Amino acid sequence: MKTLVRRISFTLLVLATIFQTTNGNISLPEIFSDNMVLQQKSDIKIWGWGKANEKLIIKADWLTEEITTTANTYGKWSLIIKTPEAGGPYNIILKGHNQVILKNVLIGEVWLCSGQSNMEWTAEQGINNAEEEIKNANYPDIRFFSVYHSSAEYPQYHITGKWTDCNPETMRNFSALAYLFAKNLHQALGVPVGVINSSWGGTPAETWMSEDVIKKNDFLAEASLKHKPLPWGPIEPGRLYNSMIFPLIPFRIAGVIYYQGESNTVNRYAYKEILSVLIQSWRTNWGYEIPFYYAQIAPFRYEKQFEGVELREAQRRALIVPNTGMVVLSDIGDTVDIHPKNKQDVAMRFALMALNRHYKKIKIEDSGPLYKCMRIEKNRVIISFDHAEGLHVKGDKLNYFEIAGQDNIYYPATAKIKDNQVIVQSNMVKIPVAVRFAWSNTATPNLFNSANLPASCFKIE
C-alpha cells in the first residue's frame, strides 16, 4: 500500500511539473517574495522562468514606465530594474501568461549574513538579555530571509525560505547576530534593512565555496581532506555553496558579515588562503567587490594547544584582501562556551565597521589595534600597530607579550606603552628575533585603543 501511495504521489508530481512547464506560468526564485527588501539606488537584476519566448512586462510602483523582456527558448528570463532611494512599501507586478504581484516591498539596505553556529545562533537558544531583546523586536522596516538548511552536489536555482517582517515571533528564531546588526544599521541610517541569514552550525569554510574553486587549487584541495565526516552537517567542498549561496546570486546586496572558523581549526595552517579565496570567489560570482567583514573567533578551550589562536592569526593575515574588516572578540568571548552569549557587542562592532567604511556615515575607530611592524634595538622589540591611537592597558600591566631569540624559545616579556607603540623585553633574551602576543587558545589580552577595542593576537618570526 505504501509503495502504491508513493507511486501515485510521484506521478502527480510529474504531471504537475509538466502542466506548469507547458502553461509557462511566471515563477521567481524564492528570494523574490512579498515583504522583501531591495538594495536602494541600484541596478537590480530580477530573474525567473516562464514559457519559452514569452514576453513579460514588469511594473513597479516607483517606475513611470513598464519594463519588458522575453524569455529565452528554455523559458528563462531576466531584466534590470533601477531602484530609488530608500522607501516603500511598494508593489511589483509581473505580467506574462499569468500575473505575479510582489507586495509590501521595501527599498533600503540588504546584507548577507553567513557562517556557522555563532551566526546561526538565535535569541531563543540564549543570548544576553534575551527576553527583553525578543519583547522589543518590533521593527516593521527590518526584514528577515532565512535560508533553510539544505545541501547539494550541484548548483541549485531554488532555495526554501521567504521574507518576513521583524516582530518578536519572527526574531526569536532568527539569527540573533543578524537581527542586532540590522537593528543597529536601521537606527543609524534611518532606512529599511533586509538581512539574509544563510548559515549552518559546525560547517567548515570549504563547503561554503564552489567545489571547482577548490579543485583548481591543489593546496586547498589537500587541506579540505583534513575534515572528517560529521553527524550534524556537510563538510564536502561546495555542498552548502550549491544550495544556500548559489541560488542567491546575483541578488543585489550591500555587503557580507561572516562568522565562521571554529570548524577549520583542523586545517588552520590553510585558513588564510581558504578565507581569502572564499571572499574573492563570492565577489567574482556576484560581479562586484562586496564589502566583507568577518569575526575573529573568540577565545575557547580547544583540545589542541594553539589551534584556536593559530586560526585567529590566519584570520588576521587574511586582512590583506582589499575591502575587508575583522571584528576582534577576545574581550567579549567565553573560554568555556564556544557560543558566547554577548551577541550585542559583536553586532555593534560589525555595524560600526559598516557605518564607518561602507556608508561613511560616521568617522570612528572601528578596529582594535592590528600588528603593523617591529624593529629591534639591542634587547628590546618596539612594536607598531595600525589603529593604535590612544593605546592603553586595562589593568595594572600589559600581559601576553613574549619574545624569543635564535633558539626559538619564547619567554614572557615585560611590556610598556610609549607613543602608541609597545616596547617589550626579557632578561632571558639578549638578542630577540621573534615576538608573539596573546598566543594561547584562551588568551584575553588587555591592550586596547581609544575606542576601547582589543588588539588582535599575532606572531612574527
Side-chain angles (χ1 to χ4, degrees), residues 140-298:
D141 283 351
I142 294 176
R143 304 288 172 83
F144 301 146
F145 189 95
S146 288
V147 179
Y148 292 8
H149 286 183
S150 65
S151 64
E153 292 186 49
Y154 306 102
Q156 305 295 300
Y157 291 98
H158 288 282
I159 50 178
T160 303
K162 66 177 182 179
W163 286 96
T164 61
D165 65 341
C166 171
N167 59 62
E169 287 308 306
T170 57
M171 175 270 188
R172 69 168 58 244
N173 289 307
F174 188 73
S175 161
L177 178 53
Y179 158 70
L180 292 163
F181 172 74
K183 183 176 76 168
N184 286 324
L185 287 190
H186 174 59
Q187 292 175 338
L189 298 173
V191 303
V193 176
V195 276
I196 303 166
N197 172 35
S198 185
S199 56
W200 189 326
T203 54
E206 291 92 330
T207 197
W208 290 102
M209 69 178 92
S210 168
E211 184 179 10
D212 289 341
V213 170
I214 294 176
K215 282 183 175 179
K216 292 175 183 177
N217 186 315
D218 291 342
F219 178 65
L220 295 189
E222 182 179 352
S224 70
L225 298 177
K226 298 289 184 181
H227 297 291
K228 303 302 180 185
L230 299 170
W232 53 78
I235 52 91
E236 298 87 353
R239 294 299 175 88
L240 298 187
Y241 170 82
N242 289 338
S243 56
M244 297 179 67
I245 297 296
F246 182 85
L248 302 174
I249 302 169
F251 190 81
R252 187 78 185 189
I253 57 177
V256 175
I257 62 170
Y258 187 75
Y259 195 154
Q260 191 278 333
E262 296 91 342
S263 290
N264 278 93
T265 54
V266 296
N267 59 3
R268 55 200 177 276
Y269 64 90
Y271 195 77
K272 173 180 175 285
E273 184 159 356
I274 291 170
L275 182 57
S276 300
V277 170
L278 183 148
I279 295 168
Q280 291 161 349
S281 65
W282 284 18
R283 287 173 172 173
T284 296
N285 294 333
W286 253 277
Y288 57 102
E289 190 177 280
I290 308 165
F292 196 104
Y293 308 136
Y294 55 91
Q296 188 182 58
I297 63 171

Side-chain angles (χ1 to χ4, degrees), residues 393-399 415 446:
V393 57
K394 287 190 176 181
D396 296 331
K397 59 182 180 179
L398 284 175
N399 57 16
N446 60 1

Side-chain angles (χ1 to χ4, degrees), residues 11 32 72 153 202 208 299 409 450:
T11 301
F32 296 106
N72 65 18
E153 292 186 49
W208 290 102
I409 299 174
S450 59

